Amino acid sequence: MERIVLPQIENLNQIDVYLANQGFEAAKKAFTLSSDDIIDQVKKSGLRGRGGAAFLTGLKWSFMPKSNDKPKYLCINGDESEPGSFKDRQIFEFNPFQLIEGAIITCYAIGAKVAYLYIRGEYHKWIKLMQNAVDVSYERGFLGEKMKETFGTNFSCELFIHKGAGAYICGEESSLMNSIEGKRGYPRVKPPFPAQFGLWGNPTTINNVETITNIPPIIRNGWEWFSKIGAPKHPGTILFGVSGHVNRPGVYELPSGTLLIEIIDKYAGGVIGGKKIKCVIPGGSSMPPLRGDQLEGVRMDAESLKEAGSAIGTGGIMVMDEDTNLLDVLIRISHFYHHESCGQCTPCREGTGWMEKTLKRIKAGLGTSKDLDLLCDVASHIEGNTICALGDAAAWPVKFMITRFRDEFEKYVNNNVQIPVPNKVHSMRNTAIPLANLEKN
Amino acid sequence: MKFTFTEENLKKIEAIRKKYPTSLAAVMPVIYIAQEQNGYISEEVMEEIANVLSIDKVNVLSVVTFYTMYHTKPMGKYHVQVCTNVSCILRGAYEIFDSVKKKLGIDHMQVTEDGKFSLEEVECMGACGGAPMIAINEDYFENLTKEKVEEILDSLK
Ligand SMILES: Cc1cc2nc3c(=O)[nH]c(=O)nc-3n(C[C@H](O)[C@H](O)[C@H](O)COP(=O)(O)O)c2cc1C
Ligand code: SF4
Ligand code: FES
């Protein structure tokens, strides 16, 4: 199997090795094409975003205005904070120059002169590795003014790394832009979309790290080649991060559409102790969990997972064996979303806290069957009623975990004690600063 | 206590400002520089950041209080972060968290009396394949057992 994003080439993270393996040849080729040609090729390749929503990358790029009256920006999303996801860090460590080359081609295609690479603050080590690669690229004339000479073109662009500081919400695209602007990471109301009103109000495109790393091979080998890999409607390879109760957890680059069971059994070495699987979350903790008996025939691409009742998300596969206490897992997931809610919308701020409290009450042996219905009801009132998709991300695990594992959750609530749930809980994130103070900027 | 940036850090700040079209945008990296120099972000530090960037202090305050990696009080020399998100708890993270709590005698966001250690229960660190994991200051330690964590903590001077 061919690896596109993480090729098995030793020391590929050194520029000379990268250059010896067709490095920056795609960029050279790109500069002989028009930006429309490149966008067209990416569209035809069928590449879909690897950041969670699997949106068509070429289509997203085509939303960027053609006029040059305002500066345009590219943001590369390396916030990687979705629980269960640990793939972009492999790119920072093992193939940083392909990411940089992808950034150059993308900037050229959308007409951006500046790209910001947003990396989560906890990734100190990987930020250093990436910064090194960026510095070397500047020195060797692959970024900045010197590009013009290197590539014999009149285009040049800058790439800056912006270090996050611990906030899951900053992975949401509009929150990420506020964070780069030096503000609290509050998601913005959409529309207007980033292609119209992004960084500092200018046209902006946001793509995931893995998405951008796929660009050079597409330009080098052509869209037809790419479109034939894996599942036709969601082509290419995907970095699957497998964690939880498996023998060989890790990141596996495989064609999209690979059987979920095959990834778990063949690549991740099967479940520890040969136990049965109770539950799998296939795309990071925000995606609907699947029952062990729902996994047969499920393929890891956007369409198949949708059909199976879940979503591809970030491709982070969390495997839970038959002995897992799902109430504990769900409490932990709900705590996470409550903690990370930015507090702007009432359904998300209050609802996430309410769900966590109700689940903890069940854990304390004080729950009833009605609480399970209540949880699903609260979840359904959050879903679709918030500014950003964190609301849905908080609602789905609760709604689907309880409906799909109702029998197990009934077990936890056989105690008929009734205590009313207090409905006044607040986001744990400090939201003491009035919004009005921020709007000055 | 009055806080001023070192000459070297002022130069770094100048370089950072060139990456962004507004000086407000430099606030996050500048807070990091201040935290590295001072250990934590006090009122005086915020004032000086606002000064250096010619922005309102409330802008600094609002950013400092939003992001969990900025600290408004001193942390230990070794800031121990234990991930207890899903992939990690499936592989025993709560046991590790409990044993670290017991060994250091402190809880979430507390500091030992001698100022050597502080402890934080953190969300997923993007190392789920190496669960359970902890981070100490900037370094990740993965595929841990209680014993290994003990060894690591004992090795810190
Ligand atoms: C709460 C939340 C967190 C997100 N976190 C990330 C993230 O860490 N990395 C990422 O690439 N996308 C993340 N996204 C998705 C981004 O908003 C955006 O869709 C994505 O970066 C677009 O890139 P793509 O089209 O290449 O997938 C998140 C979305 C939400 C709602
Ligand atoms: S849905 Fe939640 S995280 Fe998103 S903007 Fe609203 S309160 Fe903030
Ligand atoms: S769950 Fe602990 S690192 Fe991801």
Side-chain angles (χ1 to χ4, degrees):
Chain A
M1 216 297 299
E2 189 178 5
R3 299 228 222 135
I4 301 170
V5 176
L6 294 172
Q8 279 167 298
I9 298 169
E10 222 174 304
N11 297 326
L12 194 57
N13 56 4
Q14 292 172 15
I15 194 157
D16 290 313
V17 178
Y18 186 67
L19 286 168
N21 287 281
Q22 297 177 295
F24 293 103
E25 273 173 28
K28 266 181 214 139
K29 184 173 170 191
F31 289 122
T32 66
L33 306 169
S34 74
S35 53
D36 283 342
D37 274 348
I38 296 171
I39 295 177
D40 194 50
Q41 293 220 11
V42 174
K43 255 191 198 164
K44 284 188 187 144
S45 77
L47 175 67
R48 296 168 71 162
R50 307 292 196 240
F55 193 82
L56 286 159
T57 306
L59 186 61
K60 186 186 273 189
W61 293 3
S62 70
F63 297 152
M64 288 291 274
K66 296 277 169 256
S67 66
N68 282 321
D69 52 341
K70 282 178 169 182
K72 296 176 199 167
Y73 293 99
L74 168 67
C75 292
I76 308 171
N77 194 340
D79 191 50
E80 187 145 88
S81 305
E82 170 88 353
S85 315
F86 49 103
K87 62 182 181 80
D88 295 339
R89 124 183 179 187
Q90 300 292 106
I91 297 172
F92 301 142
E93 185 161 350
F94 298 107
N95 203 3
F97 293 106
Q98 192 171 316
L99 170 59
I100 293 170
E101 186 175 4
I104 294 169
I105 299 170
T106 310
C107 279
Y108 176 67
I110 63 173
K113 294 261 179 217
V114 178
Y116 291 100
L117 168 57
Y118 193 105
I119 307 182
R120 63 177 302 173
E122 294 85 349
Y123 276 0
H124 305 275
K125 174 183 158 188
W126 293 275
I127 291 171
K128 280 187 194 135
L129 291 171
M130 211 47 230
Q131 186 63 56
N132 245 333
V134 169
D135 292 346
V136 170
S137 302
Y138 270 103
E139 271 162 36
R140 301 284 287 264
F142 294 108
L143 280 172
E145 269 302 301
K146 282 208 261 172
M147 277 174 71
K148 293 184 176 167
E149 206 178 307
T150 314
F151 293 109
T153 150
N154 54 16
F155 180 85
S156 74
C157 61
E158 311 284 338
L159 174 62
F160 301 123
I161 295 176
H162 187 91
K163 181 178 181 181
Y168 165 65
I169 191 59
C170 287
E172 195 279 336
E173 54 187 23
S174 59
S175 165
L176 182 137
M177 294 190 295
N178 277 339
S179 184
I180 293 176
E181 290 182 16
K183 301 173 186 165
R184 295 187 140 213
Y186 286 130
R188 302 175 182 172
V189 179
K190 285 171 265 183
F193 291 98
Q196 271 75 51
F197 193 91
L199 267 180
W200 298 287
N202 300 308
T204 304
T205 291
I206 297 146
N207 278 121
N208 171 258
V209 165
E210 186 186 342
T211 312
I212 296 294
T213 309
N214 269 293
I215 300 299
I218 291 175
I219 298 303
R220 206 170 55 224
N221 303 331
W223 62 269
E224 274 180 303
W225 162 82
F226 186 84
S227 68
K228 288 188 186 122
I229 302 167
K233 286 191 175 162
H234 187 183
T237 61
I238 297 178
L239 299 183
F240 296 111
V242 193
S243 64
H245 295 137
V246 290
N247 284 309
R248 284 195 304 272
V251 173
Y252 299 94
E253 179 174 359
L254 297 166
S256 63
T258 303
L259 282 170
L260 175 53
I261 280 292
E262 191 184 331
I263 298 176
I264 295 171
D265 283 344
K266 187 165 148 200
Y267 296 96
V271 179
I272 299 172
K275 287 188 187 165
K276 291 199 193 92
I277 297 173
K278 182 185 271 184
C279 174
V280 173
I281 303 181
S285 74
S286 307
M287 300 302 142
L290 295 169
R291 291 171 64 106
D293 58 12
Q294 284 181 308
L295 307 181
E296 196 64 45
V298 173
R299 290 180 180 278
M300 290 299 288
D301 61 84
E303 305 300 319
S304 313
L305 275 168
K306 202 164 141 196
E307 223 167 274
S310 190
I312 185 85
T314 60
I317 301 169
M318 299 156 114
V319 181
M320 296 166 227
D321 72 18
E322 54 189 307
D323 297 330
T324 311
N325 181 318
L326 291 182
L327 179 59
D328 287 345
V329 170
L330 192 55
I331 287 175
R332 190 60 188 84
I333 292 178
S334 293
H335 171 77
F336 173 72
Y337 292 106
H338 180 206
H339 181 253
E340 299 301 330
S341 166
C342 83
Q344 282 190 112
C345 339
T346 312
C348 172
R349 182 185 66 237
E350 304 295 321
T352 51
W354 207 356
M355 292 193 298
E356 185 189 353
K357 277 210 162 181
T358 310
L359 286 162
K360 283 190 168 157
R361 211 160 67 84
I362 294 174
K363 180 74 185 170
L366 304 172
T368 71
S369 218
K370 273 193 188 148
D371 284 329
L372 300 178
D373 297 327
L374 178 73
L375 280 163
C376 293
D377 191 49
V378 174
S380 68
H381 282 96
I382 300 175
E383 204 182 334
N385 291 321
T386 56
I387 294 177
C388 89
L390 187 138
D392 301 341
W396 284 354
V398 171
K399 179 170 134 187
F400 289 101
M401 195 75 104
I402 292 175
T403 45
R404 288 186 182 156
F405 298 89
R406 183 81 193 203
D407 41 354
E408 173 157 350
F409 280 88
E410 287 291 347
K411 241 182 16 207
Y412 298 121
V413 292
N414 52 12
N415 252 351
N416 268 331
V417 183
Q418 269 192 320
I419 290 177
V421 184
N423 70 355
K424 201 66 199 154
V425 281
H426 291 281
S427 165
M428 291 159 79
R429 200 170 277 291
N430 186 341
T431 48
I433 311 294
L435 287 172
N437 281 339
L438 299 169
E439 264 140 28
K440 277 194 295 192
N441 302 291
Chain B
M1 225 178 67
K2 180 132 175 60
F3 170 84
T4 45
F5 283 105
T6 61
E7 275 305 312
E8 198 195 335
N9 280 343
L10 283 173
K11 278 198 198 114
K12 274 194 206 161
I13 292 171
E14 259 332 289
I16 286 168
R17 288 183 66 157
K18 295 206 179 84
K19 296 184 183 178
Y20 305 97
T22 68
S23 62
L24 177 64
V27 73
M28 287 184 66
V30 171
I31 297 170
Y32 269 125
I33 291 178
Q35 183 158 290
E36 204 175 300
Q37 188 184 321
N38 192 60
Y40 69 104
I41 306 296
S42 62
E43 288 284 323
E44 290 80 7
V45 172
M46 286 190 232
E47 239 150 65
E48 188 55 17
I49 293 171
N51 234 341
V52 165
L53 292 177
S54 320
I55 56 175
D56 207 298
K57 192 179 153 198
V58 72
N59 296 130
V60 185
L61 177 70
S62 79
V63 169
V64 167
T65 50
F66 186 82
Y67 297 92
T68 56
M69 288 176 68
Y70 299 135
H71 298 136
T72 49
K73 48 176 211 203
M75 289 288 124
K77 180 177 173 200
Y78 297 107
H79 185 53
V80 183
Q81 303 138 72
V82 183
C83 170
T84 64
N85 211 299
V86 175
S87 301
C88 282
I89 60 169
L90 292 174
R91 304 193 64 126
Y94 280 139
E95 279 146 48
I96 294 210
F97 187 46
D98 285 342
S99 80
V100 175
K101 273 200 274 195
K102 214 162 125 202
K103 185 172 169 69
L104 301 179
I106 48 173
D107 210 325
H108 175 61
M109 290 317 268
Q110 291 178 345
V111 189
T112 54
E113 252 167 48
D114 59 3
K116 188 169 167 189
F117 291 104
S118 49
L119 179 61
E120 185 176 1
E121 180 180 7
V122 293
E123 297 298 350
C124 176
M125 299 278 274
C128 327
M133 65 83 65
I134 67 170
I136 299 176
N137 297 342
E138 302 196 344
D139 300 317
Y140 279 31
F141 299 87
E142 304 182 25
N143 300 305
L144 298 175
T145 56
K146 270 194 283 189
E147 292 70 34
K148 274 197 224 164
V149 173
E150 186 124 344
E151 253 171 59
I152 295 166
L153 292 179
D154 284 337
S155 74
L156 297 173
K157 291 279 141 42

